[in-house]
């Protein structure tokens, strides 16, 4: 019994010299530069287990050290067929396939490797992204991504830091095969905006919405805060901050069924409220907003329009619309005009508090906002042309 126990320990634990096929293969991993040691370990393993994939991988590693690399690839293929989860065999086949120009086969092995080695997903995808301009690689990646592999969730994280043009090309191809995930759609919207195609980004985002959500489209999107959730993309966004609770309120809206309400607890804060991306074409616009401000703050709340992207104007203020305080519980409306220059490639609409000092930022009470509207103002040239045609 003691002898049998010792033999089992030699096979299943790292005790004594390597014994049994699994331990022999594992021990040989540290001898990858010695073809003779690899070949001996492989033959001993195959005597015990003739269909051991790890042994064929060792033979492949040994053959790769010889002048005939073609035999090594055949041995790696055998290893991967017998042991599909052999990460070394799959990695060797990735390298060999790409080196010999067999891109489609290489991507198949990339897929297999990323399924069995989660720690390699992000670095390998990062290394592949610069080459997605290759049509064959692009098509092969779209093919495997369309099958929704378990590593697809890593793609959006990698693309968020990749070249916007390469990101758009890959996601555009994928979207023609299967719907993009919410994370991939968000990355595509960001990439198109960075490329100066905010209008196209908004069009794609809008098409992804449900029919009842698309019914809220306008300038801005859902200016009456009728939606039930924050929409993201080119819809409203706001963050939960200590000292303020932002909700949708159904009591006495200016129009529709509800308005946006912010309840302040009296804490000093730098309030940045609801915000939305815009895709305004160059020209003059008027922004109007209804407000019921019962905070008593000495500094005003205001809507700001900024350029979100552009060669020279990124983050430049185009307009500040100060919202009036309410003398009583009644709505008041403010409006102002502003110009969008030709090189302002996408904009951002944001509600902020204009307090500068700590005391000015101490806010308590309730702010309600509703009926936010943007309309394009005809230019003088347009009006003169229309007048002549009449």
């Amino acid at each position: 019994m003691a002898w049998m126990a010792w033999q089992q320990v030699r096979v299943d634990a790292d005790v004594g010299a390597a014994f049994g096929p699994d331990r022999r293969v594992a021990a040989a991993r540290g001898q990858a530069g010695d073809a003779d040691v690899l070949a001996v370990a492989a033959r001993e393993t195959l005597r015990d287990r003739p269909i051991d994939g790890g042994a064929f991988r060792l033979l492949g590693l040994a053959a790769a050290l010889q002048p005939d690399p073609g035999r090594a690839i055949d041995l790696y293929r055998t290893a991967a067929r017998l042991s599909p989860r052999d990460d070394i065999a799959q990695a060797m086949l990735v390298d060999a396939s790409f080196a010999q120009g067999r891109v489609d086969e290489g991507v198949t092995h990339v897929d297999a490797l990323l399924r069995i080695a989660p720690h390699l997903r992000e670095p390998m995808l990062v290394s592949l992204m610069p080459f997605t301009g290759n049509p064959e690689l692009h098509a092969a990646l779209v093919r495997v991504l369309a099958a929704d592999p378990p590593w697809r969730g890593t793609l959006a994280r990698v693309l968020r830091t990749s070249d916007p043009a390469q990101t758009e090309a890959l996601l555009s191809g994928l979207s023609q095969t299967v719907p993009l995930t919410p994370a991939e759609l968000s990355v595509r919207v960001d990439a198109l905006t960075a490329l100066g195609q905010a209008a196209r980004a908004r069009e794609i985002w809008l098409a992804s919405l449900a029919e009842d959500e698309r019914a809220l489209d306008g300038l801005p999107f859902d200016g009456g805060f009728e939606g039930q959730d924050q929409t993201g993309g080119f819809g409203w966004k706001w963050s939960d901050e200590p000292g303020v609770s932002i909700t949708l309120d159904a009591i006495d809206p200016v129009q529709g069924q509800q308005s946006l309400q912010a309840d302040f607890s009296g804490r000093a804060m730098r309030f940045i409220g609801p915000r939305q991306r815009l895709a305004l074409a160059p020209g003059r616009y008027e922004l109007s907003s209804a407000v019921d401000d019962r905070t008593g703050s000495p500094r005003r709340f205001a809507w700001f329009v900024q350029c979100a992207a552009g060669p020279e104007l990124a983050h430049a203020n185009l307009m500040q619309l100060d919202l009036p305080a309410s003398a009583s519980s009644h709505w008041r409306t403010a409006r102002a005009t502003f110009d969008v220059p030709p090189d302002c490639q996408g904009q951002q609409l944001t509600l902020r508090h204009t307090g500068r000092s700590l005391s000015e930022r101490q806010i308590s009470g309730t702010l309600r906002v509703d009926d936010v509207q943007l309309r394009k103002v005809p230019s003088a040239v347009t009006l003169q042309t229309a007048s002549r045609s009449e």
Side-chain angles (χ1 to χ4, degrees):
M1 291 291 291
W3 180 83
M4 291 175 62
W6 169 247
Q7 292 297 96
Q8 191 64 36
V9 167
R10 292 177 65 196
V11 171
D12 295 336
D14 293 332
V15 177
F19 188 82
D22 291 332
R23 285 197 62 197
R24 286 196 196 98
V25 171
R29 293 183 76 155
Q31 304 291 328
D34 192 323
D36 292 336
V37 171
L38 293 172
V40 169
R43 293 191 197 99
E44 291 176 351
T45 300
L46 290 173
R47 276 198 297 269
D48 292 337
R49 193 159 58 196
I51 57 171
D52 188 279
F56 282 96
R57 183 238 302 154
L58 294 180
L59 289 174
L61 291 171
L65 298 173
Q66 306 300 324
D68 184 13
R71 182 168 176 270
I73 296 172
D74 291 337
L75 290 165
Y76 291 142
R77 289 198 181 107
T78 301
R81 186 174 66 253
L82 295 173
S83 300
R85 298 187 63 83
D86 190 319
D87 55 344
I88 294 180
Q90 296 288 1
M92 293 299 182
L93 286 170
V94 169
D95 288 344
S97 299
F98 284 138
Q100 296 182 5
R102 298 193 301 273
V103 176
D104 196 70
E105 181 183 340
V107 172
T108 298
H109 291 297
V110 167
D111 179 29
L113 182 58
L114 298 187
R115 288 171 183 268
I116 62 179
H119 65 285
L120 293 178
R121 291 173 181 176
E122 192 159 334
M124 180 160 284
L125 287 175
V126 168
S127 68
L128 283 176
M129 284 308 110
F131 304 100
T132 52
N134 180 305
E136 194 175 356
L137 178 60
H138 178 277
L141 279 174
V142 168
R143 172 180 61 79
V144 297
L145 286 166
D148 198 22
W151 50 268
R152 182 175 169 182
T154 309
L155 180 68
R157 292 201 305 272
V158 171
L159 291 179
R160 194 165 289 282
T161 57
S162 299
D163 177 78
Q166 294 171 340
T167 296
E168 162 57 13
L170 181 61
L171 292 180
S172 175
L174 183 60
S175 69
Q176 296 172 27
T177 306
V178 294
L180 299 182
T181 66
E184 291 164 355
L185 178 65
S186 174
V187 171
R188 190 181 183 194
V189 166
D190 289 343
L192 283 168
T193 302
L195 292 170
Q197 302 179 42
R200 173 66 175 152
R202 193 178 192 277
E203 177 186 338
I204 290 172
W205 169 79
L206 194 63
S208 73
L209 301 181
E211 185 176 352
D212 59 334
E213 293 177 311
R214 287 199 299 273
L216 299 173
D217 189 26
L219 280 180
F221 182 88
D222 189 16
F225 300 98
E226 301 301 311
Q228 296 303 310
D229 300 304
Q230 299 181 59
T231 313
F234 283 81
W236 293 114
K237 301 176 186 176
W238 57 79
S239 307
D240 293 328
E241 298 181 61
V244 62
S245 173
I246 301 178
T247 57
L248 298 174
D249 181 67
I251 299 175
D252 186 31
V254 169
Q255 57 86 37
Q257 301 298 314
Q258 56 192 17
S259 61
L260 182 107
Q261 179 169 310
D263 293 301
F264 297 90
S265 65
R267 179 171 180 165
M269 61 181 302
R270 187 187 295 275
F271 174 69
I272 300 177
R275 53 199 178 274
Q276 181 177 138
R277 290 181 181 182
L278 302 173
L280 303 177
R284 171 158 291 192
Y285 294 83
E286 180 187 74
L287 173 68
S288 63
S289 173
V291 60
D292 179 11
D293 181 359
R294 285 176 272 168
T295 64
S297 173
R299 301 287 296 185
R300 301 273 51 83
F301 291 88
W303 285 108
F304 290 83
V305 178
Q306 292 178 299
C307 280
E312 302 293 339
L313 295 175
H315 310 299
N317 274 336
L318 301 179
M319 187 214 64
Q320 174 179 334
L321 173 60
D322 290 332
L323 300 179
S326 299
S328 58
S329 300
H330 294 294
W331 290 97
R332 301 180 66 183
T333 298
R335 53 176 43 88
T337 59
F338 64 98
D339 294 308
V340 175
D343 53 350
C344 180
Q345 302 166 357
Q347 306 81 32
Q348 174 105 346
L349 173 66
T350 308
L351 178 65
R352 302 202 321 244
H353 185 253
T354 58
R356 294 168 295 185
S357 66
L358 197 62
S359 61
E360 290 176 342
R361 293 177 190 161
Q362 191 167 345
I363 314 170
S364 59
T366 299
L367 172 76
R368 293 195 297 162
V369 177
D370 198 7
D371 196 23
V372 183
Q373 295 186 34
L374 271 164
R375 69 180 186 90
K376 192 163 186 178
V377 179
S379 66
V381 173
T382 302
L383 292 174
Q384 290 173 8
T385 303
S387 176
R388 292 194 194 100
S389 65
E390 292 174 1

